[in-house]
Amino acid sequence: MNHDALQWKPSRFNAHSETDDGGLMLYNSYTGAIAACSPAERNQVLEWLTPAAPVPEPAPPLYESLIEQGFLVPGDTDEMRRALFLHHSMHAQDAMHLVLLVTEACNFRCTYCYESFPRATMREEVIRGLEAYMAERARTLRQLTISWHGGEPLLVPHVIERLSLSFMAACEASGARYGAEMSTNGYYLTRDRFEQMLDLHVERFMVTLDGEGETHNARRGLNGGRDTYQTIVNNLMSLKKVDRPFEINLRINFDNSNLEEVSRFIPVLRDLFGDDPRFQVYFRPVGCMGGENDLNLPVCDERTKDRSIWAFNEQAIAEGLTVSSFISDILLPTGAVCYAAKPNSLIVGSDGMLYKCSVALEQDNNRLGRIYEDGTLDLDYDKLALWTTSGEETDEKCQACFFRPACQGNHCPLYRMRTGNRPCSYEKRQIKKTLRTIWLQAQREAMASASEA
C-alpha cells in the first residue's frame, strides 16, 4: 500500500478493551472488524491509534492491518458521511426479510408472553397472496430471508413446507439466495421434523429453556398446565445425531425470580450440549412488552440486566459452552438495527395484515396494511416511515456515537416511540464486556483445537 503524502487518523467508530493477559481487543463498527493484539503489541497499537500519531516509514505489517480493517482511516475521510451512506444503503431493494406468522396460536402459555393468540392458521388467501407476491418480487432480489414465527410455527408444518417450496423455486428461477430461520418453543422439534426443516433451508433456530425441570415448567408450561422441559430436552438431544450444519440458539430468559437457577442451569447445559458447538447459549432479560401479566413480572433493573448477561456468558464459556453468534452479529454494520426499522423488512400476520414490529401487533401505527390474494400489497407509507426514520436522523447523540454504523439509533424503534429515550443495545452499553466475551470464546476455541491436534 502506498502511504506517500497520506496522513492517517483513528476511526471515530473504534472501541477497545484490555484482555486478561494484558493484550488488546479492537472493534470498529463501520467495518465490523474485531482484532486481538498481544501484550507485546498493545502499547504500539494504542500509540498508533492516537490522533496525529506519526506514520511509521516503512509501515510494518501490523500498521497495514490497522488500515485494512478500518481502525485507521485517511486523514481527510468524512466518517459522518460514510455512516450516512451506510444508513441509506439499507433502503436497497435487492434484499428482503419477511417475518411470517404462519399461525398466531400457541400450545404454550408462558408467564411473560405478550401475545394474545387472536388467530390460528394462516388463511388460504394469504398463503396464495405470498406465493404470488414472491413469484414476482424474487425477480429483483439477490437475497430473501424468511423468519418463521407464530404463535408456535411448528403447529402448522404443512404451511411452512408449502410456502418454503414456493419461495425456493422463485429464488432459484431468479438466481436469488434463499435462507430461513425459526423461533420455536421446541416441543414439536423432533428429529424427523427438524430434518424436514433443514431440507427447507431453515438452518438457524431459537429454542428457549429458562432453567432445569421445575423452573422451566413453571414459566413455560403447556396450555392447560402440563410440563414441557423434558420433551424439549429429549428433542434437542436427538438433534445432536444429525450430521448436517445448523445452529440452535438456546435462549435462557431471566428475571429476578430465576437468576440463581440460571447460574445453576449452566453446568446442566454444558453436560447436555457442551460437546456440540452447533448448540449456542443466549441469555436475555424478560421485559414488559405489553402482555396481560406485565404488572406482575419480576423484571430486573437495567444494572442487573447489564451485569447478568455478561456474567452468565462468562460462566458459560468457562464451563465449555459456546455463546450465541447473535452477540458478534450485532457488532456488524447495521447488525444492531431492529428488523422493524429496516425498510425491506415486513411482518405478515396469519390474516394478511402487515406489520413492522412483532411486539405491538395491536398498536394502530404498527398496522401498515395488508397483502391480497393476487399478491399485491396495500401499504401505508406514512406509517412505514414512522418505524424506519426515527433513529439517527433525529438524534445527535446517536449520530456522534462510536456504535452508530451498527445500530443507527434504531436498536428498538418501539422503545423510542414509547419512552422517548434512545434504545442502546446491551452489547453497546457494555462494549468492553462484549469484546471480553468474544476474546474468552476465541481463547477457549483455540485451546480446544490445540488439544484435538
PDB file of all heavy atoms in Angstrom, residues 31-66:
ATOM      1  N   THR A  31     -16.623  -1.153   9.803  1.00  0.00           N
ATOM      2  CA  THR A  31     -16.175  -2.306   9.016  1.00  0.00           C
ATOM      3  C   THR A  31     -16.629  -3.620   9.640  1.00  0.00           C
ATOM      4  O   THR A  31     -16.639  -4.652   8.972  1.00  0.00           O
ATOM      5  CB  THR A  31     -14.635  -2.329   8.913  1.00  0.00           C
ATOM      6  OG1 THR A  31     -14.080  -2.446  10.229  1.00  0.00           O
ATOM      7  CG2 THR A  31     -14.117  -1.078   8.248  1.00  0.00           C
ATOM      8  N   GLY A  32     -16.978  -3.579  10.940  1.00  0.00           N
ATOM      9  CA  GLY A  32     -17.313  -4.808  11.657  1.00  0.00           C
ATOM     10  C   GLY A  32     -16.092  -5.589  12.101  1.00  0.00           C
ATOM     11  O   GLY A  32     -16.214  -6.695  12.625  1.00  0.00           O
ATOM     12  N   ALA A  33     -14.895  -5.019  11.917  1.00  0.00           N
ATOM     13  CA  ALA A  33     -13.660  -5.733  12.249  1.00  0.00           C
ATOM     14  C   ALA A  33     -13.503  -5.877  13.763  1.00  0.00           C
ATOM     15  O   ALA A  33     -13.760  -4.939  14.523  1.00  0.00           O
ATOM     16  CB  ALA A  33     -12.455  -4.995  11.668  1.00  0.00           C
ATOM     17  N   ILE A  34     -13.070  -7.063  14.177  1.00  0.00           N
ATOM     18  CA  ILE A  34     -12.697  -7.323  15.568  1.00  0.00           C
ATOM     19  C   ILE A  34     -11.304  -7.947  15.519  1.00  0.00           C
ATOM     20  O   ILE A  34     -11.077  -8.909  14.779  1.00  0.00           O
ATOM     21  CB  ILE A  34     -13.681  -8.292  16.258  1.00  0.00           C
ATOM     22  CG1 ILE A  34     -15.088  -7.679  16.286  1.00  0.00           C
ATOM     23  CG2 ILE A  34     -13.221  -8.614  17.671  1.00  0.00           C
ATOM     24  CD1 ILE A  34     -16.156  -8.627  16.799  1.00  0.00           C
ATOM     25  N   ALA A  35     -10.356  -7.382  16.273  1.00  0.00           N
ATOM     26  CA  ALA A  35      -8.973  -7.868  16.221  1.00  0.00           C
ATOM     27  C   ALA A  35      -8.399  -7.945  17.620  1.00  0.00           C
ATOM     28  O   ALA A  35      -8.743  -7.150  18.500  1.00  0.00           O
ATOM     29  CB  ALA A  35      -8.123  -6.931  15.350  1.00  0.00           C
ATOM     30  N   ALA A  36      -7.523  -8.908  17.819  1.00  0.00           N
ATOM     31  CA  ALA A  36      -6.826  -9.064  19.093  1.00  0.00           C
ATOM     32  C   ALA A  36      -5.351  -8.737  18.904  1.00  0.00           C
ATOM     33  O   ALA A  36      -4.750  -9.129  17.900  1.00  0.00           O
ATOM     34  CB  ALA A  36      -6.983 -10.494  19.617  1.00  0.00           C
ATOM     35  N   CYS A  37      -4.782  -7.994  19.842  1.00  0.00           N
ATOM     36  CA  CYS A  37      -3.347  -7.683  19.829  1.00  0.00           C
ATOM     37  C   CYS A  37      -2.706  -8.308  21.056  1.00  0.00           C
ATOM     38  O   CYS A  37      -3.307  -8.327  22.141  1.00  0.00           O
ATOM     39  CB  CYS A  37      -3.118  -6.177  19.866  1.00  0.00           C
ATOM     40  SG  CYS A  37      -3.883  -5.280  18.508  1.00  0.00           S
ATOM     41  N   SER A  38      -1.494  -8.781  20.905  1.00  0.00           N
ATOM     42  CA  SER A  38      -0.787  -9.409  22.016  1.00  0.00           C
ATOM     43  C   SER A  38      -0.325  -8.353  23.014  1.00  0.00           C
ATOM     44  O   SER A  38      -0.262  -7.155  22.684  1.00  0.00           O
ATOM     45  CB  SER A  38       0.430 -10.169  21.489  1.00  0.00           C
ATOM     46  OG  SER A  38       1.400  -9.241  21.017  1.00  0.00           O
ATOM     47  N   PRO A  39       0.032  -8.753  24.238  1.00  0.00           N
ATOM     48  CA  PRO A  39       0.567  -7.784  25.210  1.00  0.00           C
ATOM     49  C   PRO A  39       1.779  -7.033  24.660  1.00  0.00           C
ATOM     50  O   PRO A  39       1.939  -5.834  24.930  1.00  0.00           O
ATOM     51  CB  PRO A  39       0.941  -8.662  26.411  1.00  0.00           C
ATOM     52  CG  PRO A  39       0.041  -9.855  26.304  1.00  0.00           C
ATOM     53  CD  PRO A  39      -0.136 -10.088  24.840  1.00  0.00           C
ATOM     54  N   ALA A  40       2.610  -7.704  23.859  1.00  0.00           N
ATOM     55  CA  ALA A  40       3.805  -7.058  23.306  1.00  0.00           C
ATOM     56  C   ALA A  40       3.441  -5.975  22.281  1.00  0.00           C
ATOM     57  O   ALA A  40       4.168  -4.993  22.123  1.00  0.00           O
ATOM     58  CB  ALA A  40       4.707  -8.113  22.660  1.00  0.00           C
ATOM     59  N   GLU A  41       2.317  -6.145  21.600  1.00  0.00           N
ATOM     60  CA  GLU A  41       1.903  -5.183  20.560  1.00  0.00           C
ATOM     61  C   GLU A  41       1.055  -4.036  21.116  1.00  0.00           C
ATOM     62  O   GLU A  41       0.892  -3.001  20.460  1.00  0.00           O
ATOM     63  CB  GLU A  41       1.085  -5.902  19.485  1.00  0.00           C
ATOM     64  CG  GLU A  41       1.838  -6.978  18.721  1.00  0.00           C
ATOM     65  CD  GLU A  41       0.904  -7.892  17.923  1.00  0.00           C
ATOM     66  OE1 GLU A  41      -0.273  -8.056  18.332  1.00  0.00           O
ATOM     67  OE2 GLU A  41       1.363  -8.437  16.905  1.00  0.00           O
ATOM     68  N   ARG A  42       0.530  -4.229  22.318  1.00  0.00           N
ATOM     69  CA  ARG A  42      -0.512  -3.347  22.862  1.00  0.00           C
ATOM     70  C   ARG A  42      -0.124  -1.870  22.849  1.00  0.00           C
ATOM     71  O   ARG A  42      -0.856  -1.030  22.301  1.00  0.00           O
ATOM     72  CB  ARG A  42      -0.832  -3.804  24.281  1.00  0.00           C
ATOM     73  CG  ARG A  42      -1.808  -2.929  25.020  1.00  0.00           C
ATOM     74  CD  ARG A  42      -2.067  -3.487  26.427  1.00  0.00           C
ATOM     75  NE  ARG A  42      -2.978  -2.643  27.146  1.00  0.00           N
ATOM     76  CZ  ARG A  42      -2.611  -1.584  27.850  1.00  0.00           C
ATOM     77  NH1 ARG A  42      -1.339  -1.241  27.915  1.00  0.00           N
ATOM     78  NH2 ARG A  42      -3.517  -0.861  28.493  1.00  0.00           N
ATOM     79  N   ASN A  43       1.006  -1.528  23.462  1.00  0.00           N
ATOM     80  CA  ASN A  43       1.372  -0.110  23.594  1.00  0.00           C
ATOM     81  C   ASN A  43       1.612   0.547  22.239  1.00  0.00           C
ATOM     82  O   ASN A  43       1.218   1.700  22.015  1.00  0.00           O
ATOM     83  CB  ASN A  43       2.609   0.040  24.488  1.00  0.00           C
ATOM     84  CG  ASN A  43       2.270  -0.234  25.947  1.00  0.00           C
ATOM     85  OD1 ASN A  43       1.102  -0.205  26.345  1.00  0.00           O
ATOM     86  ND2 ASN A  43       3.288  -0.521  26.750  1.00  0.00           N
ATOM     87  N   GLN A  44       2.237  -0.211  21.317  1.00  0.00           N
ATOM     88  CA  GLN A  44       2.492   0.345  19.997  1.00  0.00           C
ATOM     89  C   GLN A  44       1.181   0.622  19.260  1.00  0.00           C
ATOM     90  O   GLN A  44       1.010   1.675  18.634  1.00  0.00           O
ATOM     91  CB  GLN A  44       3.359  -0.624  19.185  1.00  0.00           C
ATOM     92  CG  GLN A  44       3.666  -0.156  17.774  1.00  0.00           C
ATOM     93  CD  GLN A  44       4.492   1.120  17.729  1.00  0.00           C
ATOM     94  OE1 GLN A  44       5.699   1.080  17.842  1.00  0.00           O
ATOM     95  NE2 GLN A  44       3.828   2.272  17.574  1.00  0.00           N
ATOM     96  N   VAL A  45       0.241  -0.306  19.354  1.00  0.00           N
ATOM     97  CA  VAL A  45      -1.053  -0.134  18.684  1.00  0.00           C
ATOM     98  C   VAL A  45      -1.798   1.065  19.266  1.00  0.00           C
ATOM     99  O   VAL A  45      -2.362   1.892  18.533  1.00  0.00           O
ATOM    100  CB  VAL A  45      -1.898  -1.424  18.789  1.00  0.00           C
ATOM    101  CG1 VAL A  45      -3.343  -1.167  18.384  1.00  0.00           C
ATOM    102  CG2 VAL A  45      -1.294  -2.527  17.920  1.00  0.00           C
ATOM    103  N   LEU A  46      -1.826   1.176  20.597  1.00  0.00           N
ATOM    104  CA  LEU A  46      -2.506   2.310  21.228  1.00  0.00           C
ATOM    105  C   LEU A  46      -1.879   3.634  20.801  1.00  0.00           C
ATOM    106  O   LEU A  46      -2.577   4.633  20.600  1.00  0.00           O
ATOM    107  CB  LEU A  46      -2.466   2.166  22.751  1.00  0.00           C
ATOM    108  CG  LEU A  46      -3.421   1.123  23.351  1.00  0.00           C
ATOM    109  CD1 LEU A  46      -3.195   0.984  24.851  1.00  0.00           C
ATOM    110  CD2 LEU A  46      -4.883   1.484  23.077  1.00  0.00           C
ATOM    111  N   GLU A  47      -0.567   3.637  20.638  1.00  0.00           N
ATOM    112  CA  GLU A  47       0.125   4.851  20.194  1.00  0.00           C
ATOM    113  C   GLU A  47      -0.296   5.216  18.769  1.00  0.00           C
ATOM    114  O   GLU A  47      -0.583   6.374  18.456  1.00  0.00           O
ATOM    115  CB  GLU A  47       1.639   4.629  20.263  1.00  0.00           C
ATOM    116  CG  GLU A  47       2.454   5.872  19.952  1.00  0.00           C
ATOM    117  CD  GLU A  47       3.952   5.591  20.015  1.00  0.00           C
ATOM    118  OE1 GLU A  47       4.383   4.845  20.917  1.00  0.00           O
ATOM    119  OE2 GLU A  47       4.675   6.109  19.137  1.00  0.00           O
ATOM    120  N   TRP A  48      -0.342   4.219  17.896  1.00  0.00           N
ATOM    121  CA  TRP A  48      -0.750   4.465  16.514  1.00  0.00           C
ATOM    122  C   TRP A  48      -2.193   4.950  16.425  1.00  0.00           C
ATOM    123  O   TRP A  48      -2.577   5.639  15.478  1.00  0.00           O
ATOM    124  CB  TRP A  48      -0.585   3.204  15.673  1.00  0.00           C
ATOM    125  CG  TRP A  48       0.836   2.892  15.309  1.00  0.00           C
ATOM    126  CD1 TRP A  48       1.873   3.764  15.201  1.00  0.00           C
ATOM    127  CD2 TRP A  48       1.369   1.599  14.998  1.00  0.00           C
ATOM    128  NE1 TRP A  48       3.025   3.107  14.853  1.00  0.00           N
ATOM    129  CE2 TRP A  48       2.751   1.760  14.707  1.00  0.00           C
ATOM    130  CE3 TRP A  48       0.835   0.309  14.938  1.00  0.00           C
ATOM    131  CZ2 TRP A  48       3.587   0.707  14.361  1.00  0.00           C
ATOM    132  CZ3 TRP A  48       1.660  -0.748  14.591  1.00  0.00           C
ATOM    133  CH2 TRP A  48       3.021  -0.549  14.302  1.00  0.00           C
ATOM    134  N   LEU A  49      -3.025   4.542  17.396  1.00  0.00           N
ATOM    135  CA  LEU A  49      -4.449   4.886  17.362  1.00  0.00           C
ATOM    136  C   LEU A  49      -4.751   6.188  18.109  1.00  0.00           C
ATOM    137  O   LEU A  49      -5.913   6.465  18.432  1.00  0.00           O
ATOM    138  CB  LEU A  49      -5.294   3.743  17.937  1.00  0.00           C
ATOM    139  CG  LEU A  49      -5.347   2.473  17.073  1.00  0.00           C
ATOM    140  CD1 LEU A  49      -6.144   1.378  17.764  1.00  0.00           C
ATOM    141  CD2 LEU A  49      -5.932   2.766  15.693  1.00  0.00           C
ATOM    142  N   THR A  50      -3.728   6.985  18.397  1.00  0.00           N
ATOM    143  CA  THR A  50      -3.958   8.314  18.962  1.00  0.00           C
ATOM    144  C   THR A  50      -3.972   9.335  17.829  1.00  0.00           C
ATOM    145  O   THR A  50      -3.267   9.172  16.831  1.00  0.00           O
ATOM    146  CB  THR A  50      -2.868   8.690  19.980  1.00  0.00           C
ATOM    147  OG1 THR A  50      -1.586   8.570  19.348  1.00  0.00           O
ATOM    148  CG2 THR A  50      -2.928   7.805  21.198  1.00  0.00           C
ATOM    149  N   PRO A  51      -4.789  10.386  17.959  1.00  0.00           N
ATOM    150  CA  PRO A  51      -4.834  11.404  16.902  1.00  0.00           C
ATOM    151  C   PRO A  51      -3.456  12.020  16.650  1.00  0.00           C
ATOM    152  O   PRO A  51      -2.671  12.206  17.576  1.00  0.00           O
ATOM    153  CB  PRO A  51      -5.801  12.450  17.478  1.00  0.00           C
ATOM    154  CG  PRO A  51      -6.633  11.692  18.461  1.00  0.00           C
ATOM    155  CD  PRO A  51      -5.732  10.662  19.055  1.00  0.00           C
ATOM    156  N   ALA A  52      -3.158  12.281  15.372  1.00  0.00           N
ATOM    157  CA  ALA A  52      -1.919  12.940  14.934  1.00  0.00           C
ATOM    158  C   ALA A  52      -0.669  12.107  15.188  1.00  0.00           C
ATOM    159  O   ALA A  52       0.441  12.643  15.212  1.00  0.00           O
ATOM    160  CB  ALA A  52      -1.778  14.314  15.592  1.00  0.00           C
ATOM    161  N   ALA A  53      -0.825  10.788  15.392  1.00  0.00           N
ATOM    162  CA  ALA A  53       0.355   9.933  15.555  1.00  0.00           C
ATOM    163  C   ALA A  53       1.113   9.888  14.235  1.00  0.00           C
ATOM    164  O   ALA A  53       0.505   9.786  13.156  1.00  0.00           O
ATOM    165  CB  ALA A  53      -0.064   8.530  15.972  1.00  0.00           C
ATOM    166  N   PRO A  54       2.474   9.966  14.261  1.00  0.00           N
ATOM    167  CA  PRO A  54       3.242   9.933  13.010  1.00  0.00           C
ATOM    168  C   PRO A  54       3.112   8.579  12.311  1.00  0.00           C
ATOM    169  O   PRO A  54       2.990   7.538  12.965  1.00  0.00           O
ATOM    170  CB  PRO A  54       4.677  10.184  13.469  1.00  0.00           C
ATOM    171  CG  PRO A  54       4.700   9.833  14.926  1.00  0.00           C
ATOM    172  CD  PRO A  54       3.333  10.109  15.452  1.00  0.00           C
ATOM    173  N   VAL A  55       3.127   8.597  10.983  1.00  0.00           N
ATOM    174  CA  VAL A  55       3.055   7.364  10.194  1.00  0.00           C
ATOM    175  C   VAL A  55       4.444   6.728  10.156  1.00  0.00           C
ATOM    176  O   VAL A  55       5.407   7.389   9.757  1.00  0.00           O
ATOM    177  CB  VAL A  55       2.572   7.655   8.760  1.00  0.00           C
ATOM    178  CG1 VAL A  55       2.548   6.370   7.926  1.00  0.00           C
ATOM    179  CG2 VAL A  55       1.202   8.303   8.783  1.00  0.00           C
ATOM    180  N   PRO A  56       4.581   5.478  10.595  1.00  0.00           N
ATOM    181  CA  PRO A  56       5.904   4.849  10.555  1.00  0.00           C
ATOM    182  C   PRO A  56       6.332   4.594   9.115  1.00  0.00           C
ATOM    183  O   PRO A  56       5.522   4.200   8.278  1.00  0.00           O
ATOM    184  CB  PRO A  56       5.693   3.537  11.318  1.00  0.00           C
ATOM    185  CG  PRO A  56       4.234   3.245  11.191  1.00  0.00           C
ATOM    186  CD  PRO A  56       3.541   4.573  11.113  1.00  0.00           C
ATOM    187  N   GLU A  57       7.577   4.828   8.825  1.00  0.00           N
ATOM    188  CA  GLU A  57       8.126   4.572   7.484  1.00  0.00           C
ATOM    189  C   GLU A  57       9.360   3.691   7.594  1.00  0.00           C
ATOM    190  O   GLU A  57      10.304   4.053   8.297  1.00  0.00           O
ATOM    191  CB  GLU A  57       8.496   5.895   6.802  1.00  0.00           C
ATOM    192  CG  GLU A  57       7.320   6.745   6.357  1.00  0.00           C
ATOM    193  CD  GLU A  57       6.468   6.111   5.262  1.00  0.00           C
ATOM    194  OE1 GLU A  57       6.952   5.147   4.625  1.00  0.00           O
ATOM    195  OE2 GLU A  57       5.332   6.535   5.053  1.00  0.00           O
ATOM    196  N   PRO A  58       9.368   2.525   6.947  1.00  0.00           N
ATOM    197  CA  PRO A  58       8.230   1.957   6.219  1.00  0.00           C
ATOM    198  C   PRO A  58       7.189   1.419   7.203  1.00  0.00           C
ATOM    199  O   PRO A  58       7.521   1.055   8.325  1.00  0.00           O
ATOM    200  CB  PRO A  58       8.870   0.824   5.411  1.00  0.00           C
ATOM    201  CG  PRO A  58      10.035   0.394   6.241  1.00  0.00           C
ATOM    202  CD  PRO A  58      10.556   1.627   6.927  1.00  0.00           C
ATOM    203  N   ALA A  59       5.944   1.354   6.750  1.00  0.00           N
ATOM    204  CA  ALA A  59       4.867   0.893   7.634  1.00  0.00           C
ATOM    205  C   ALA A  59       4.973  -0.613   7.848  1.00  0.00           C
ATOM    206  O   ALA A  59       4.985  -1.376   6.883  1.00  0.00           O
ATOM    207  CB  ALA A  59       3.513   1.242   7.030  1.00  0.00           C
ATOM    208  N   PRO A  60       5.065  -1.075   9.091  1.00  0.00           N
ATOM    209  CA  PRO A  60       5.133  -2.520   9.352  1.00  0.00           C
ATOM    210  C   PRO A  60       3.792  -3.196   9.075  1.00  0.00           C
ATOM    211  O   PRO A  60       2.750  -2.529   8.986  1.00  0.00           O
ATOM    212  CB  PRO A  60       5.503  -2.589  10.831  1.00  0.00           C
ATOM    213  CG  PRO A  60       5.058  -1.297  11.417  1.00  0.00           C
ATOM    214  CD  PRO A  60       5.133  -0.281  10.325  1.00  0.00           C
ATOM    215  N   PRO A  61       3.784  -4.532   8.951  1.00  0.00           N
ATOM    216  CA  PRO A  61       2.528  -5.267   8.650  1.00  0.00           C
ATOM    217  C   PRO A  61       1.403  -4.981   9.646  1.00  0.00           C
ATOM    218  O   PRO A  61       0.238  -4.909   9.258  1.00  0.00           O
ATOM    219  CB  PRO A  61       2.956  -6.733   8.701  1.00  0.00           C
ATOM    220  CG  PRO A  61       4.427  -6.715   8.385  1.00  0.00           C
ATOM    221  CD  PRO A  61       4.950  -5.437   8.954  1.00  0.00           C
ATOM    222  N   LEU A  62       1.739  -4.801  10.916  1.00  0.00           N
ATOM    223  CA  LEU A  62       0.697  -4.557  11.917  1.00  0.00           C
ATOM    224  C   LEU A  62      -0.013  -3.229  11.638  1.00  0.00           C
ATOM    225  O   LEU A  62      -1.245  -3.122  11.769  1.00  0.00           O
ATOM    226  CB  LEU A  62       1.322  -4.547  13.321  1.00  0.00           C
ATOM    227  CG  LEU A  62       0.360  -4.380  14.506  1.00  0.00           C
ATOM    228  CD1 LEU A  62      -0.730  -5.455  14.481  1.00  0.00           C
ATOM    229  CD2 LEU A  62       1.112  -4.418  15.837  1.00  0.00           C
ATOM    230  N   TYR A  63       0.738  -2.219  11.231  1.00  0.00           N
ATOM    231  CA  TYR A  63       0.147  -0.910  10.897  1.00  0.00           C
ATOM    232  C   TYR A  63      -0.740  -1.043   9.656  1.00  0.00           C
ATOM    233  O   TYR A  63      -1.851  -0.506   9.605  1.00  0.00           O
ATOM    234  CB  TYR A  63       1.270   0.103  10.647  1.00  0.00           C
ATOM    235  CG  TYR A  63       0.803   1.540  10.584  1.00  0.00           C
ATOM    236  CD1 TYR A  63       0.645   2.289  11.745  1.00  0.00           C
ATOM    237  CD2 TYR A  63       0.528   2.159   9.361  1.00  0.00           C
ATOM    238  CE1 TYR A  63       0.229   3.620  11.702  1.00  0.00           C
ATOM    239  CE2 TYR A  63       0.108   3.488   9.307  1.00  0.00           C
ATOM    240  CZ  TYR A  63      -0.037   4.209  10.483  1.00  0.00           C
ATOM    241  OH  TYR A  63      -0.459   5.520  10.432  1.00  0.00           O
ATOM    242  N   GLU A  64      -0.217  -1.788   8.665  1.00  0.00           N
ATOM    243  CA  GLU A  64      -1.002  -2.045   7.435  1.00  0.00           C
ATOM    244  C   GLU A  64      -2.337  -2.701   7.789  1.00  0.00           C
ATOM    245  O   GLU A  64      -3.383  -2.379   7.223  1.00  0.00           O
ATOM    246  CB  GLU A  64      -0.222  -2.968   6.491  1.00  0.00           C
ATOM    247  CG  GLU A  64       1.085  -2.397   5.998  1.00  0.00           C
ATOM    248  CD  GLU A  64       0.897  -1.580   4.735  1.00  0.00           C
ATOM    249  OE1 GLU A  64      -0.271  -1.291   4.397  1.00  0.00           O
ATOM    250  OE2 GLU A  64       1.910  -1.240   4.109  1.00  0.00           O
ATOM    251  N   SER A  65      -2.285  -3.627   8.745  1.00  0.00           N
ATOM    252  CA  SER A  65      -3.505  -4.361   9.086  1.00  0.00           C
ATOM    253  C   SER A  65      -4.513  -3.455   9.788  1.00  0.00           C
ATOM    254  O   SER A  65      -5.722  -3.594   9.608  1.00  0.00           O
ATOM    255  CB  SER A  65      -3.136  -5.589   9.897  1.00  0.00           C
ATOM    256  OG  SER A  65      -3.681  -5.617  11.125  1.00  0.00           O
ATOM    257  N   LEU A  66      -4.055  -2.472  10.566  1.00  0.00           N
ATOM    258  CA  LEU A  66      -4.966  -1.495  11.183  1.00  0.00           C
ATOM    259  C   LEU A  66      -5.673  -0.661  10.119  1.00  0.00           C
ATOM    260  O   LEU A  66      -6.848  -0.294  10.267  1.00  0.00           O
ATOM    261  CB  LEU A  66      -4.191  -0.575  12.132  1.00  0.00           C
ATOM    262  CG  LEU A  66      -3.609  -1.208  13.399  1.00  0.00           C
ATOM    263  CD1 LEU A  66      -2.775  -0.189  14.173  1.00  0.00           C
ATOM    264  CD2 LEU A  66      -4.709  -1.784  14.292  1.00  0.00           C
TER     265      LEU A  66
END
